[in-house]
């Protein structure tokens, strides 16, 4: 959020869950596109709503908001304890929590306080954990730069699912699109990393999902989701987190999508 607040010029804002910090090289996008990049990707347990609400903060004319959800039927905040970890550094983000999620967040506070008290008493609180989930593992863009040289994840039959779409998410994203337009910004939808292998649903099912998404969204879908099929070997520790090499594969594809979209829109001006 600090980077989002500091940049006054037109920028690219990446929005979604942890597929972004564990799957994007923002600096490379910045160099290739020629616009500052802010990676707002956060834990999926916060819910799509919260991720989108963050993007509305400090939104300026000329900004390009790139939505990279892994599912379009997820709004609920199903891991409210994560919120308190985030609020340690940014208490002001409390205002982004929906009224219907506030009780869940409040109910998670005692457990968070108990754990924090234990860590404080033991002298283990806010220490570098020397793994990919430490604050020190993230760079100024919001990317996780902890070395991830090889796959540590085994794909199962349930690992890769075709995204779902529900009306609540459609209406909310279309409202976000209208908000962006009012601010002079642009909202687009891009792909996310999809594990490609023998346990992955047929490619036609993802094409059907994309067609349905395009029909219901008022913003443009700039990616062919099937271009984001990436072999299992390039995933790190979950079905959405990539190895170092996987990050480059996914980033290069997103750069191509953004450039192609920009060229098409320039030709229409």
């Amino acid at each position: 959020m600090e980077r989002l607040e500091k940049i006054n010029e037109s920028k690219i804002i990446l929005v979604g869950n942890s597929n972004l910090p564990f799957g994007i090289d923002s600096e490379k996008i910045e160099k290739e596109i020629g616009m500052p990049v802010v990676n707002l990707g956060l834990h999926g347990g916060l819910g799509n709503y919260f991720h989108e609400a963050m993007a509305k903060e400090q939104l300026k004319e000329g900004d390009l908001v790139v939505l990279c959800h892994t599912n379009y039927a997820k709004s609920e905040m199903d891991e409210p304890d994560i919120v308190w970890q985030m609020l340690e550094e940014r208490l002001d983000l409390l205002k982004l929590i929906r009224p219907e999620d506030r009780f869940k967040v409040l109910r998670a506070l005692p457990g968070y306080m108990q754990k924090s008290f234990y860590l404080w008493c033991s002298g283990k609180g806010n220490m570098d954990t020397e793994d990919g989930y430490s604050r020190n593992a993230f760079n100024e863009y919001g990317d996780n730069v902890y070395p991830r040289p090889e796959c540590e994840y085994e794909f199962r039959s349930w690992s890769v699912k075709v995204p779902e779409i529900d009306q609540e998410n459609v209406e909310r994203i279309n409202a976000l699109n209208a908000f962006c337009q009012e601010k002079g910004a642009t909202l687009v939808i891009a792909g996310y990393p999809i594990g490609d292998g023998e346990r992955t649903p047929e490619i036609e099912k993802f094409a059907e999902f994309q067609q349905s998404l395009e029909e219901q969204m008022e913003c443009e879908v700039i990616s062919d989701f099937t271009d984001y099929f990436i072999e299992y070997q390039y995933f790190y520790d979950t079905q959405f987190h990539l190895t170092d090499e996987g990050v480059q594969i996914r980033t290069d594809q997103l750069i191509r999508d953004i450039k192609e979209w920009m060229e098409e829109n320039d030709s229409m001006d």
Side-chain angles (χ1 to χ4, degrees):
M1 286 296 292
E2 288 82 3
R3 181 171 173 81
L4 182 65
E5 294 163 347
K6 290 178 181 177
I7 299 174
N8 293 316
E9 60 188 292
S10 298
K11 55 193 170 294
I12 296 172
I13 305 171
L14 304 175
V15 179
N17 61 22
S18 61
N19 83 89
L20 286 169
F22 285 87
I24 282 293
D25 183 342
S26 295
E27 185 175 11
K28 188 173 188 178
I29 296 175
E30 184 171 288
K31 290 178 179 178
E32 289 288 334
I33 304 298
M35 292 175 66
V37 176
V38 180
N39 189 341
L40 289 183
L42 281 177
H43 195 288
L46 295 171
N48 289 357
Y49 175 92
F50 191 87
H51 299 147
E52 296 160 19
M54 288 183 62
K56 296 167 73 172
E57 299 290 296
Q58 306 296 321
L59 192 64
K60 295 179 173 62
E61 184 176 358
D63 286 348
L64 176 62
V65 181
V66 183
L67 203 61
C68 299
H69 288 327
T70 58
N71 194 294
Y72 290 82
K74 177 178 172 55
S75 301
E76 66 278 3
M77 183 178 286
D78 52 20
E79 295 191 46
D81 54 312
I82 300 295
V83 173
W84 292 108
Q85 296 179 35
M86 176 184 63
L87 295 177
E88 287 181 6
E89 299 288 329
R90 294 296 304 255
L91 190 60
D92 60 302
L93 296 182
L94 190 62
K95 67 180 182 290
L96 302 184
I97 299 172
R98 297 183 302 178
E100 56 263 47
D101 289 326
R102 290 172 186 168
F103 179 71
K104 288 191 288 187
V105 172
L106 187 62
R107 191 169 55 185
L109 180 58
Y112 164 78
M113 294 295 293
Q114 183 178 17
K115 184 177 180 180
S116 297
F117 182 70
Y118 165 75
L119 291 172
W120 178 74
C121 291
S122 62
K124 299 178 181 178
N126 291 325
M127 294 180 66
D128 183 6
T129 57
E130 298 183 356
D131 61 21
Y133 294 88
S134 167
R135 284 195 176 99
N136 294 335
F138 296 83
N139 65 13
E140 61 180 301
Y141 294 93
D143 302 346
N144 188 292
V145 292
Y146 180 80
R148 306 190 296 277
E150 57 188 33
C151 178
E152 297 180 2
Y153 182 72
E154 180 182 356
F155 278 82
R156 305 294 179 89
S157 58
W158 44 262
S159 297
V160 184
K161 298 179 181 178
V162 181
E164 297 179 352
I165 308 171
D166 68 17
Q167 192 60 31
E168 178 186 348
N169 276 258
V170 170
E171 292 176 358
R172 192 188 63 250
I173 293 172
N174 284 337
L176 174 61
N177 180 61
F179 178 86
C180 289
Q181 290 177 339
E182 290 174 5
K183 293 289 185 178
T186 303
L187 175 68
V188 298
I189 293 175
Y192 68 94
I194 302 169
D196 183 18
E198 61 182 7
R199 297 180 179 87
T200 300
E202 296 84 353
I203 194 170
E204 292 79 12
K205 293 185 181 297
F206 287 90
E208 291 171 3
F209 149 73
Q210 178 165 345
Q211 182 178 354
S212 178
L213 187 69
E214 290 173 343
E215 290 171 352
Q216 298 180 72
M217 293 299 177
E218 295 172 1
C219 61
E220 191 167 352
V221 178
I222 66 170
S223 296
D224 181 337
F225 280 75
T226 62
D227 287 339
Y228 286 78
F229 273 45
I230 300 173
E231 294 179 14
Y232 292 165
Q233 69 188 67
Y234 298 114
F235 286 77
Y236 178 55
D237 62 348
T238 79
Q239 70 270 38
F240 298 129
H241 296 179
L242 297 171
T243 64
D244 296 333
E245 192 170 353
V247 167
Q248 297 308 310
I249 294 171
R250 191 266 185 96
T251 299
D252 288 344
Q253 182 59 53
L254 182 56
I255 289 171
R256 286 192 290 270
D257 290 344
I258 294 175
K259 281 185 173 180
E260 183 176 338
W261 175 80
M262 286 182 164
E263 289 170 1
E264 289 177 355
N265 279 268
D266 285 344
S267 65
M268 291 187 292
D269 290 341

Coordinates of all heavy atoms in Angstrom, one line a residue, residues 206-261:
F206 N -12.0 -24.6 -19.5 CA -11.5 -23.2 -19.2 C -12.0 -22.2 -20.3 O -12.2 -21.0 -20.0 CB -10.0 -23.3 -19.1 CG -9.5 -23.9 -17.8 CD1 -9.3 -25.3 -17.8 CD2 -9.4 -23.2 -16.6 CE1 -8.9 -25.9 -16.6 CE2 -9.0 -23.8 -15.5 CZ -8.7 -25.2 -15.5
A207 N -12.0 -22.7 -21.5 CA -12.5 -21.8 -22.6 C -13.9 -21.4 -22.4 O -14.4 -20.3 -22.6 CB -12.3 -22.5 -24.0
E208 N -14.7 -22.4 -22.0 CA -16.2 -22.1 -21.7 C -16.3 -21.1 -20.5 O -17.2 -20.3 -20.5 CB -16.9 -23.4 -21.3 CG -17.0 -24.4 -22.5 CD -17.5 -25.7 -22.1 OE1 -17.8 -25.9 -20.9 OE2 -17.6 -26.6 -23.0
F209 N -15.5 -21.3 -19.5 CA -15.5 -20.4 -18.4 C -15.2 -19.0 -18.8 O -15.8 -18.0 -18.5 CB -14.5 -20.8 -17.3 CG -13.9 -19.7 -16.5 CD1 -14.6 -19.0 -15.6 CD2 -12.6 -19.3 -16.8 CE1 -14.0 -17.9 -14.9 CE2 -12.0 -18.2 -16.1 CZ -12.8 -17.5 -15.1
Q210 N -14.2 -18.8 -19.7 CA -13.8 -17.5 -20.1 C -14.9 -16.9 -21.0 O -15.1 -15.7 -20.8 CB -12.5 -17.6 -21.0 CG -12.1 -16.2 -21.5 CD -10.7 -16.2 -22.1 OE1 -9.9 -17.1 -21.8 NE2 -10.3 -15.2 -22.8
Q211 N -15.5 -17.7 -21.8 CA -16.6 -17.1 -22.6 C -17.7 -16.6 -21.7 O -18.3 -15.5 -21.9 CB -17.2 -18.2 -23.5 CG -18.3 -17.7 -24.4 CD -18.8 -18.7 -25.4 OE1 -18.3 -19.8 -25.5 NE2 -19.9 -18.4 -26.1
S212 N -18.1 -17.3 -20.7 CA -19.1 -16.9 -19.7 C -18.7 -15.6 -19.0 O -19.5 -14.7 -18.8 CB -19.4 -18.0 -18.7 OG -20.3 -17.6 -17.8
L213 N -17.4 -15.6 -18.6 CA -16.9 -14.4 -17.9 C -17.0 -13.2 -18.8 O -17.4 -12.1 -18.4 CB -15.4 -14.7 -17.5 CG -14.7 -13.6 -16.6 CD1 -15.4 -13.6 -15.2 CD2 -13.2 -13.9 -16.5
E214 N -16.5 -13.3 -20.1 CA -16.6 -12.2 -21.0 C -18.0 -11.7 -21.2 O -18.2 -10.5 -21.4 CB -15.9 -12.6 -22.3 CG -14.4 -12.8 -22.2 CD -13.8 -13.3 -23.5 OE1 -14.5 -13.9 -24.3 OE2 -12.6 -13.3 -23.6
E215 N -18.9 -12.6 -21.3 CA -20.3 -12.2 -21.5 C -20.9 -11.4 -20.3 O -21.8 -10.6 -20.5 CB -21.2 -13.5 -21.8 CG -20.8 -14.1 -23.1 CD -21.5 -15.5 -23.2 OE1 -22.1 -16.0 -22.2 OE2 -21.5 -16.1 -24.3
Q216 N -20.4 -11.7 -19.1 CA -21.0 -11.1 -17.9 C -20.3 -9.8 -17.4 O -20.9 -9.0 -16.7 CB -21.1 -12.1 -16.8 CG -22.0 -13.3 -17.2 CD -22.1 -14.3 -16.0 OE1 -22.7 -14.0 -15.0 NE2 -21.4 -15.4 -16.2
M217 N -19.0 -9.7 -17.8 CA -18.3 -8.5 -17.3 C -18.3 -7.3 -18.2 O -18.3 -7.5 -19.5 CB -16.8 -9.0 -17.1 CG -16.6 -10.0 -16.0 SD -17.1 -9.4 -14.4 CE -16.8 -10.8 -13.4
E218 N -18.4 -6.2 -17.7 CA -18.4 -4.9 -18.5 C -17.0 -4.4 -18.7 O -16.8 -3.5 -19.6 CB -19.2 -3.9 -17.7 CG -20.7 -4.3 -17.6 CD -21.5 -3.3 -16.7 OE1 -20.9 -2.4 -16.2 OE2 -22.7 -3.6 -16.6
C219 N -16.0 -4.9 -18.1 CA -14.6 -4.6 -18.4 C -14.1 -5.6 -19.3 O -14.7 -6.7 -19.5 CB -13.8 -4.5 -17.1 SG -13.7 -6.1 -16.2
E220 N -12.9 -5.4 -19.9 CA -12.4 -6.3 -20.9 C -11.5 -7.4 -20.3 O -10.8 -7.1 -19.3 CB -11.5 -5.4 -21.9 CG -11.1 -6.2 -23.1 CD -10.5 -5.3 -24.2 OE1 -10.6 -4.1 -24.1 OE2 -10.0 -5.9 -25.2
V221 N -11.6 -8.6 -20.8 CA -10.8 -9.7 -20.5 C -9.6 -9.7 -21.5 O -9.8 -10.0 -22.6 CB -11.5 -11.0 -20.5 CG1 -10.6 -12.2 -20.1 CG2 -12.7 -11.0 -19.5
I222 N -8.4 -9.4 -21.0 CA -7.3 -9.2 -22.0 C -6.5 -10.4 -22.2 O -5.6 -10.5 -23.0 CB -6.4 -8.0 -21.5 CG1 -5.6 -8.4 -20.2 CG2 -7.1 -6.7 -21.4 CD1 -4.5 -7.4 -19.8
S223 N -6.8 -11.5 -21.4 CA -6.0 -12.7 -21.5 C -6.9 -13.9 -22.1 O -8.1 -13.9 -22.0 CB -5.5 -13.2 -20.2 OG -4.6 -12.3 -19.6
D224 N -6.2 -14.8 -22.8 CA -6.8 -16.1 -23.1 C -6.3 -17.0 -21.9 O -5.1 -17.2 -21.8 CB -6.2 -16.6 -24.4 CG -6.8 -17.9 -24.8 OD1 -7.3 -18.7 -23.9 OD2 -6.8 -18.3 -26.0
F225 N -7.2 -17.4 -21.1 CA -6.8 -18.1 -19.9 C -6.0 -19.4 -20.2 O -5.2 -19.8 -19.4 CB -8.1 -18.5 -19.1 CG -8.6 -17.3 -18.2 CD1 -9.3 -16.3 -18.8 CD2 -8.4 -17.3 -16.9 CE1 -9.7 -15.2 -18.1 CE2 -8.8 -16.2 -16.1 CZ -9.5 -15.2 -16.7
T226 N -6.3 -20.0 -21.4 CA -5.5 -21.2 -21.7 C -4.1 -20.9 -22.0 O -3.2 -21.8 -22.1 CB -6.2 -21.9 -22.9 OG1 -6.2 -21.0 -24.1 CG2 -7.6 -22.2 -22.6
D227 N -3.7 -19.6 -22.2 CA -2.3 -19.2 -22.4 C -1.5 -19.3 -21.1 O -0.3 -19.3 -21.1 CB -2.2 -17.8 -22.9 CG -2.5 -17.7 -24.4 OD1 -2.5 -18.7 -25.1 OD2 -2.9 -16.6 -24.9
Y228 N -2.3 -19.4 -20.0 CA -1.7 -19.5 -18.7 C -1.5 -20.9 -18.1 O -1.3 -21.1 -17.0 CB -2.4 -18.6 -17.7 CG -2.2 -17.1 -18.0 CD1 -2.8 -16.5 -19.0 CD2 -1.3 -16.4 -17.2 CE1 -2.6 -15.1 -19.3 CE2 -1.0 -15.1 -17.4 CZ -1.7 -14.4 -18.5 OH -1.4 -13.1 -18.8
F229 N -1.7 -21.9 -19.0 CA -1.5 -23.3 -18.6 C 0.1 -23.4 -18.5 O 0.8 -23.2 -19.5 CB -2.0 -24.2 -19.7 CG -3.4 -24.6 -19.5 CD1 -4.4 -23.7 -19.2 CD2 -3.8 -26.0 -19.6 CE1 -5.7 -24.1 -19.0 CE2 -5.1 -26.3 -19.4 CZ -6.1 -25.4 -19.1
I230 N 0.5 -23.8 -17.3 CA 1.9 -23.9 -17.0 C 2.2 -25.3 -16.4 O 1.5 -25.7 -15.6 CB 2.4 -22.8 -16.1 CG1 2.1 -21.4 -16.7 CG2 3.9 -22.9 -15.7 CD1 2.4 -20.2 -15.7
E231 N 3.2 -25.9 -16.9 CA 3.5 -27.3 -16.5 C 3.7 -27.4 -15.0 O 4.2 -26.5 -14.3 CB 4.7 -27.9 -17.2 CG 4.5 -28.0 -18.7 CD 5.8 -28.6 -19.4 OE1 6.7 -29.0 -18.6 OE2 5.9 -28.5 -20.6
Y232 N 3.2 -28.5 -14.4 CA 3.3 -28.7 -12.9 C 4.7 -28.4 -12.4 O 4.8 -27.9 -11.2 CB 2.9 -30.2 -12.6 CG 1.5 -30.6 -12.9 CD1 1.1 -31.9 -12.9 CD2 0.5 -29.6 -13.1 CE1 -0.2 -32.3 -13.1 CE2 -0.8 -30.0 -13.3 CZ -1.2 -31.3 -13.3 OH -2.5 -31.7 -13.5
Q233 N 5.7 -28.7 -13.1 CA 7.1 -28.6 -12.6 C 7.4 -27.1 -12.2 O 8.4 -26.9 -11.5 CB 8.1 -29.1 -13.6 CG 8.2 -28.3 -14.8 CD 9.1 -28.9 -15.9 OE1 8.7 -29.9 -16.5 NE2 10.2 -28.3 -16.1
Y234 N 6.7 -26.2 -12.7 CA 7.0 -24.8 -12.4 C 6.2 -24.2 -11.3 O 6.2 -23.0 -11.1 CB 6.7 -23.9 -13.7 CG 7.6 -24.3 -14.8 CD1 7.1 -24.9 -16.0 CD2 9.0 -24.2 -14.7 CE1 7.9 -25.3 -17.0 CE2 9.8 -24.6 -15.8 CZ 9.3 -25.1 -16.9 OH 10.1 -25.5 -18.0
F235 N 5.5 -25.0 -10.5 CA 4.7 -24.6 -9.3 C 5.5 -24.9 -8.1 O 6.2 -25.9 -8.0 CB 3.4 -25.2 -9.3 CG 2.4 -24.6 -10.3 CD1 2.5 -25.0 -11.7 CD2 1.5 -23.7 -9.9 CE1 1.6 -24.4 -12.6 CE2 0.6 -23.1 -10.9 CZ 0.7 -23.5 -12.2
Y236 N 5.5 -24.0 -7.1 CA 6.3 -24.1 -6.0 C 5.7 -24.9 -4.8 O 6.0 -26.1 -4.7 CB 6.7 -22.7 -5.5 CG 7.6 -22.7 -4.2 CD1 8.8 -23.4 -4.2 CD2 7.2 -21.9 -3.1 CE1 9.6 -23.3 -3.0 CE2 7.9 -21.9 -2.0 CZ 9.1 -22.6 -1.9 OH 9.9 -22.6 -0.8
D237 N 4.8 -24.3 -4.0 CA 4.3 -25.0 -2.9 C 2.8 -25.0 -2.8 O 2.2 -25.6 -1.8 CB 4.8 -24.4 -1.6 CG 4.5 -22.9 -1.4 OD1 4.0 -22.3 -2.3 OD2 4.7 -22.4 -0.3
T238 N 2.1 -24.4 -3.8 CA 0.6 -24.5 -3.9 C 0.3 -24.6 -5.4 O 1.1 -24.4 -6.2 CB -0.1 -23.4 -3.2 OG1 -0.1 -22.2 -4.1 CG2 0.4 -23.0 -1.9
Q239 N -1.0 -24.7 -5.7 CA -1.5 -24.8 -7.1 C -1.5 -23.4 -7.7 O -1.8 -23.3 -8.9 CB -2.8 -25.4 -7.2 CG -4.0 -24.6 -6.6 CD -4.2 -24.9 -5.2 OE1 -3.3 -25.1 -4.4 NE2 -5.5 -25.0 -4.8
F240 N -1.1 -22.3 -7.0 CA -1.1 -21.0 -7.5 C 0.3 -20.3 -7.4 O 0.5 -19.2 -7.9 CB -2.2 -20.1 -6.8 CG -3.6 -20.6 -7.1 CD1 -4.4 -20.8 -6.0 CD2 -4.0 -20.9 -8.3 CE1 -5.7 -21.2 -6.2 CE2 -5.4 -21.4 -8.5 CZ -6.2 -21.5 -7.4
H241 N 1.2 -20.9 -6.6 CA 2.5 -20.3 -6.4 C 3.5 -20.9 -7.3 O 3.5 -22.1 -7.5 CB 3.0 -20.5 -4.9 CG 2.1 -19.8 -3.9 ND1 2.3 -19.9 -2.6 CD2 1.0 -19.0 -4.0 CE1 1.4 -19.2 -1.9 NE2 0.6 -18.7 -2.7
L242 N 4.3 -20.0 -7.9 CA 5.2 -20.5 -9.0 C 6.7 -20.5 -8.5 O 7.1 -19.7 -7.6 CB 5.1 -19.6 -10.2 CG 3.8 -19.6 -10.9 CD1 3.7 -18.5 -12.0 CD2 3.5 -20.9 -11.5
T243 N 7.5 -21.3 -9.1 CA 8.9 -21.3 -8.9 C 9.5 -20.1 -9.6 O 8.8 -19.3 -10.3 CB 9.6 -22.5 -9.5 OG1 9.4 -22.5 -10.9 CG2 9.0 -23.8 -8.9
D244 N 10.8 -19.8 -9.4 CA 11.4 -18.7 -10.1 C 11.2 -18.7 -11.6 O 10.9 -17.7 -12.2 CB 12.9 -18.6 -9.7 CG 13.2 -18.4 -8.2 OD1 12.3 -17.8 -7.6 OD2 14.2 -18.9 -7.8
E245 N 11.4 -19.9 -12.2 CA 11.3 -20.0 -13.6 C 9.8 -19.8 -14.0 O 9.5 -19.2 -15.1 CB 11.8 -21.3 -14.1 CG 11.9 -21.4 -15.6 CD 12.7 -22.7 -16.1 OE1 13.2 -23.4 -15.2 OE2 12.7 -22.9 -17.3
G246 N 8.9 -20.4 -13.2 CA 7.5 -20.2 -13.5 C 7.1 -18.8 -13.5 O 6.2 -18.4 -14.3
V247 N 7.6 -18.0 -12.5 CA 7.3 -16.6 -12.5 C 7.6 -15.9 -13.8 O 6.8 -15.0 -14.3 CB 8.1 -15.9 -11.3 CG1 8.1 -14.4 -11.4 CG2 7.6 -16.3 -10.0
Q248 N 8.8 -16.2 -14.4 CA 9.1 -15.6 -15.6 C 8.2 -16.0 -16.8 O 7.9 -15.2 -17.6 CB 10.6 -15.9 -16.0 CG 11.6 -15.4 -15.0 CD 11.4 -13.9 -14.7 OE1 11.4 -13.1 -15.6 NE2 11.4 -13.6 -13.4
I249 N 7.8 -17.2 -16.8 CA 6.9 -17.7 -17.8 C 5.5 -16.9 -17.7 O 5.0 -16.4 -18.7 CB 6.6 -19.2 -17.7 CG1 7.9 -20.0 -18.0 CG2 5.5 -19.7 -18.6 CD1 7.8 -21.5 -17.7
R250 N 5.0 -16.8 -16.5 CA 3.7 -16.2 -16.3 C 3.9 -14.6 -16.6 O 3.0 -14.0 -17.2 CB 3.3 -16.4 -14.9 CG 1.8 -16.0 -14.6 CD 1.7 -14.6 -14.0 NE 0.4 -14.2 -13.6 CZ -0.1 -14.4 -12.4 NH1 0.7 -14.8 -11.4 NH2 -1.3 -14.0 -12.1
T251 N 5.0 -14.0 -16.1 CA 5.2 -12.6 -16.3 C 5.3 -12.3 -17.8 O 4.7 -11.3 -18.2 CB 6.4 -12.1 -15.5 OG1 6.3 -12.4 -14.1 CG2 6.7 -10.7 -15.8
D252 N 6.0 -13.1 -18.5 CA 6.1 -12.8 -19.9 C 4.8 -12.9 -20.7 O 4.5 -12.1 -21.6 CB 7.1 -13.8 -20.6 CG 8.6 -13.6 -20.2 OD1 8.9 -12.5 -19.7 OD2 9.4 -14.5 -20.3
Q253 N 3.9 -13.8 -20.2 CA 2.6 -13.9 -20.9 C 1.8 -12.7 -20.5 O 1.1 -12.1 -21.4 CB 1.9 -15.2 -20.4 CG 0.5 -15.4 -21.0 CD 0.6 -15.4 -22.6 OE1 1.4 -16.2 -23.1 NE2 -0.2 -14.6 -23.2
L254 N 1.8 -12.2 -19.3 CA 1.1 -11.0 -18.9 C 1.6 -9.8 -19.6 O 0.8 -9.0 -20.1 CB 1.1 -10.8 -17.4 CG 0.3 -9.6 -16.8 CD1 -1.2 -9.7 -17.2 CD2 0.5 -9.5 -15.3
I255 N 2.9 -9.7 -19.8 CA 3.4 -8.5 -20.6 C 2.9 -8.6 -22.0 O 2.5 -7.5 -22.5 CB 5.0 -8.6 -20.6 CG1 5.5 -8.3 -19.2 CG2 5.5 -7.6 -21.6 CD1 7.0 -8.5 -19.0
R256 N 2.8 -9.7 -22.6 CA 2.3 -9.8 -24.0 C 0.8 -9.4 -24.0 O 0.4 -8.7 -24.9 CB 2.5 -11.3 -24.5 CG 3.9 -11.6 -24.9 CD 3.9 -12.9 -25.7 NE 3.6 -14.1 -24.8 CZ 4.5 -14.8 -24.1 NH1 5.8 -14.4 -24.2 NH2 4.1 -15.8 -23.4
D257 N 0.1 -9.8 -23.0 CA -1.3 -9.5 -23.0 C -1.6 -8.0 -22.8 O -2.4 -7.4 -23.5 CB -2.0 -10.2 -21.8 CG -2.2 -11.7 -22.0 OD1 -2.0 -12.2 -23.2 OD2 -2.4 -12.4 -21.0
I258 N -0.8 -7.4 -21.9 CA -1.0 -5.9 -21.7 C -0.5 -5.2 -22.9 O -1.2 -4.2 -23.4 CB -0.2 -5.5 -20.5 CG1 -0.7 -6.1 -19.2 CG2 -0.2 -4.0 -20.3 CD1 0.1 -5.8 -17.9
K259 N 0.6 -5.5 -23.5 CA 1.1 -4.8 -24.7 C 0.1 -4.9 -25.9 O -0.2 -4.0 -26.5 CB 2.4 -5.4 -25.2 CG 3.6 -4.9 -24.3 CD 4.9 -5.4 -24.9 CE 6.1 -4.8 -24.2 NZ 7.4 -5.3 -24.8
E260 N -0.5 -6.1 -26.1 CA -1.5 -6.3 -27.1 C -2.7 -5.5 -26.9 O -3.3 -4.9 -27.8 CB -1.8 -7.8 -27.3 CG -2.8 -8.1 -28.4 CD -3.0 -9.6 -28.6 OE1 -2.2 -10.4 -28.1 OE2 -4.0 -10.0 -29.2
W261 N -3.2 -5.5 -25.6 CA -4.3 -4.7 -25.3 C -4.1 -3.2 -25.5 O -4.9 -2.5 -26.1 CB -4.7 -5.0 -23.8 CG -5.8 -4.1 -23.4 CD1 -7.2 -4.3 -23.6 CD2 -5.7 -2.9 -22.6 NE1 -7.9 -3.2 -23.0 CE2 -7.0 -2.4 -22.4 CE3 -4.6 -2.2 -22.1 CZ2 -7.3 -1.2 -21.7 CZ3 -4.9 -1.0 -21.4 CH2 -6.2 -0.5 -21.2

